[in-house]
Amino acid sequence: MTEQEPLTVVVADHDFGEVDIERAIIERAGFRLVAADCKTEDDVIAVARDADALFAQYATVGPRAIAAFTRCRVIARYGTGVDIVDVDAATRHGILVTNVPNDWCRDEVADHAMALLLAATRRIATYDRATRAGVWRWQSGEPIHRMQGRLLGLLSFGAIAQAIAVRARAFGMGVVAHDPYLSAEEVTAHGATPVSFDELLDQADYLVVQAPLTDQTHHLIGEAELRRMKSTLILVNTARGPIVRDDALYRALSEGWIAGAGLDDLEEEPSKQRDWTPSNPLFGLDNVIVTPHAAYYSEEAMRTVREFAAHEVVRVLTGQAPLSPVNADELAATDRR
């Protein structure tokens, strides 16, 4: 009688430098861990076709990959958003999808959003460049306007946006929020005034995008929306790049429709490309600050998200219920039919 081979867990992609945290948890449970560097769906199929479980950070796990899996039981997302996973396809194939509740990086993203807003509003990068070039003049950053008394708009009002609202109020700003999935009472209870999408565009002095990337939010902010905003507005995107059209944003910033932007991701989403080059015209504008999808990062947050995702895989493979399932109800409904 031959000893049964351990179940295989594949890390489709990661940018942690190593997978020691995951390996310790997975191997302690008696499973085998394989780490890969997938950038395309074909890469995912090649490395994970016969895997029992899959971690994914940026790699797309679409319908072709899911259909090719022979025995996958769970796809664990490193993070909260699951836009890289075709959840409907996973459900049809009986595969559970898990994520990590967004309190793992709530404070990091809220801090980063405020940092981008402050840096853009106070023209920190402009001053830094000028000073390094030998220009010691406060005028090199003008015009700068007082933040107190201005109105911060939030697109989506989940846990992270609510944390941003707390920070904004501490700076003396009023807060309005648009979230079609929350009642007016829920928005008000967390210290913001509920507004429609049109009112958000018309009223905000600063706009922070903190919405998930879905079919409904993809390219939600384009030329028409940017033209409605105040010419003094600062746009901050600490959500997903494709929510904002890069070409429209470039025109808005270069032609003065809005005053500036702080972006933690771009529409092209460089992390999902193997041979990305910095050719985006937004990089040529002085009124843009770009960070490399780093809003969620702290040493503590990274350990939390990796440990949580790994324990979710172990829970599922050992017959336990995951703590943060994305499609458990849909799978149960499918089983009942």
Side-chain angles (χ1 to χ4, degrees):
M1 182 175 179
T2 59
E3 186 177 348
Q4 186 176 4
E5 289 190 6
L7 301 182
T8 298
V9 179
V10 170
V11 179
D13 71 308
H14 68 94
D15 59 6
F16 315 132
E18 43 74 24
V19 290
D20 294 350
I21 292 173
E22 295 85 346
R23 190 177 303 282
I25 295 169
I26 295 302
E27 292 184 352
R28 187 165 58 242
F31 309 135
R32 183 172 73 100
L33 187 76
V34 176
D37 181 26
C38 301
K39 293 296 184 184
T40 68
E41 198 165 2
D42 287 333
D43 293 341
V44 173
I45 294 170
V47 74
R49 183 189 303 272
D50 297 321
D52 298 281
L54 181 72
F55 292 104
Q57 186 180 13
Y58 302 116
T60 297
V61 187
R64 286 197 305 110
I66 289 169
F69 294 159
T70 61
R71 59 175 192 248
C72 185
R73 292 164 58 185
V74 56
I75 300 168
R77 171 84 221 291
Y78 283 123
T80 305
V82 290
D83 50 281
I84 64 170
V85 180
D86 191 319
V87 178
D88 291 338
T91 301
R92 290 194 300 271
H93 286 82
I95 300 172
L96 191 64
V97 178
T98 67
N99 68 350
V100 183
N102 63 15
D103 58 359
W104 73 274
C105 64
R106 176 190 58 218
D107 290 328
E108 283 80 2
V109 177
D111 289 345
H112 200 89
M114 288 302 297
L116 287 173
L117 178 59
L118 288 164
T121 302
R122 294 298 308 172
R123 306 295 300 277
I124 299 301
T126 299
Y127 277 131
D128 180 69
R129 286 191 297 268
T131 303
R132 289 170 186 268
V135 179
W136 190 270
R137 300 178 69 248
W138 62 260
Q139 291 92 341
S140 59
E142 63 181 350
I144 292 175
H145 298 283
R146 180 176 294 164
M147 298 181 72
Q148 290 85 350
R150 292 186 177 260
L151 199 60
L152 176 78
L154 289 160
L155 179 58
S156 185
F157 200 55
I160 293 173
Q162 291 167 18
I164 295 170
V166 171
R167 289 155 172 78
R169 290 196 301 273
F171 277 87
M173 288 180 267
V175 181
V176 296
H178 171 69
D179 193 321
Y181 301 101
L182 292 181
S183 67
E185 292 74 19
E186 289 174 300
V187 174
T188 302
H190 287 95
T193 300
V195 293
S196 68
F197 182 60
D198 287 343
E199 289 171 330
L200 183 76
L201 300 179
D202 292 340
Q203 296 177 14
D205 295 300
Y206 313 116
L207 177 60
V208 179
V209 177
Q210 196 51 57
L213 178 60
T214 65
D215 290 341
Q216 290 71 40
T217 62
H218 183 267
H219 284 178
L220 180 61
I221 296 180
E223 180 172 330
E225 291 74 25
L226 288 160
R227 284 188 179 277
R228 292 188 62 159
M229 299 174 187
K230 295 179 180 180
S231 61
T232 52
L233 180 131
I234 303 292
L235 173 69
V236 172
N237 186 1
T238 41
R240 292 291 190 271
I243 296 174
V244 181
R245 287 189 62 110
D246 278 1
D247 56 353
L249 181 59
Y250 176 80
R251 287 197 63 194
L253 290 164
S254 59
E255 297 179 16
W257 309 352
I258 65 173
L263 310 174
D264 189 50
D265 198 10
L266 301 168
E267 185 179 351
E268 65 214 68
E269 295 190 291
S271 297
K272 298 181 181 180
Q273 301 182 37
R274 189 176 299 282
D275 298 311
W276 177 76
T277 56
S279 57
N280 193 312
L282 287 168
F283 290 137
L285 299 178
D286 289 338
N287 55 348
V288 181
I289 300 170
V290 184
T291 55
H293 202 163
Y296 60 82
Y297 168 67
S298 73
E299 289 294 304
E300 295 80 4
M302 293 307 297
R303 172 168 286 276
T304 296
V305 73
R306 295 170 65 184
E307 288 180 341
F308 191 99
H311 284 300
E312 287 288 75
V313 167
V314 170
R315 277 187 276 267
V316 173
L317 293 184
T318 57
Q320 304 172 64
L323 300 182
S324 187
V326 174
N327 62 337
D329 291 343
E330 291 80 2
L331 281 173
T334 300
D335 291 342
R336 289 194 296 268
R337 288 201 290 268

